Amino acid sequence: MHKVKEKGILSASNGINIYRGCLHGCIYCDSRSDCYQMKHKFEDIEVKENAPELLEKALSSKRKPCMIGTGAMSDPYIPLEKDLRIMRKCLEIIEKYSFGVTVHTKSS
Ligand code: SF4
């Protein structure tokens, strides 16, 4: 795992990916594709440690409510989340600003 500070977290289609890479190991995973230009091993998870602050900033200035999507590129509930709890913080922010959310995960 390695941590980074990003400049933005919310995509143009209102998606967030807190982690880059995944540990669930699905053989059909599209996120491993070279077209996404990942500069680290897929299993060496990149953690966007400032995701909650970036999300709060983005949602506080949004005028229209919408659904926030998670898990499009990397599962938000990889084992690291149990200790880091970044997804949980993001969910609390989404609730605080009354946005909807979809959670795509392979985790139980
Ligand atoms: S859970 Fe999703 S991101 Fe993770 S390996 Fe499977 S398909 Fe890829």
Side-chain angles (χ1 to χ4, degrees):
M1 155 186 107
H2 60 282
K3 295 181 178 179
V4 295
K5 284 195 188 291
E6 286 287 347
K7 292 182 179 165
I9 192 71
L10 195 63
S11 73
S13 56
N14 299 314
I16 59 171
N17 285 288
I18 297 162
Y19 302 110
R20 196 158 189 222
C22 187
L23 294 169
H24 287 309
C26 310
I27 56 170
Y28 51 79
C29 182
D30 173 64
S31 299
R32 296 172 183 275
S33 171
D34 290 343
C35 73
Y36 299 116
Q37 300 173 355
M38 196 175 289
K39 293 185 175 72
H40 52 90
K41 285 188 178 177
F42 193 68
E43 292 77 15
D44 175 19
I45 307 296
E46 186 169 284
V47 177
K48 301 174 186 175
E49 62 178 351
N50 61 336
E53 296 86 66
L54 292 170
L55 184 62
E56 174 126 35
K57 189 176 173 194
L59 296 189
S60 66
S61 61
K62 252 188 177 311
R63 295 185 181 190
K64 287 186 177 176
C66 65
M67 297 292 286
I68 307 300
T70 66
M73 288 299 297
S74 296
D75 196 303
Y77 285 106
I78 53 177
L80 287 173
E81 170 64 18
K82 191 173 181 183
D83 294 322
L84 298 175
R85 298 170 73 86
I86 299 175
M87 176 62 179
R88 183 174 184 89
K89 287 178 198 155
C90 287
L91 286 176
E92 287 169 357
I93 292 164
I94 291 168
E95 184 181 35
K96 176 180 169 185
Y97 289 96
S98 301
F99 282 77
V101 65
T102 60
V103 179
H104 288 171
T105 182
K106 196 141 186 174
S107 168
S108 57

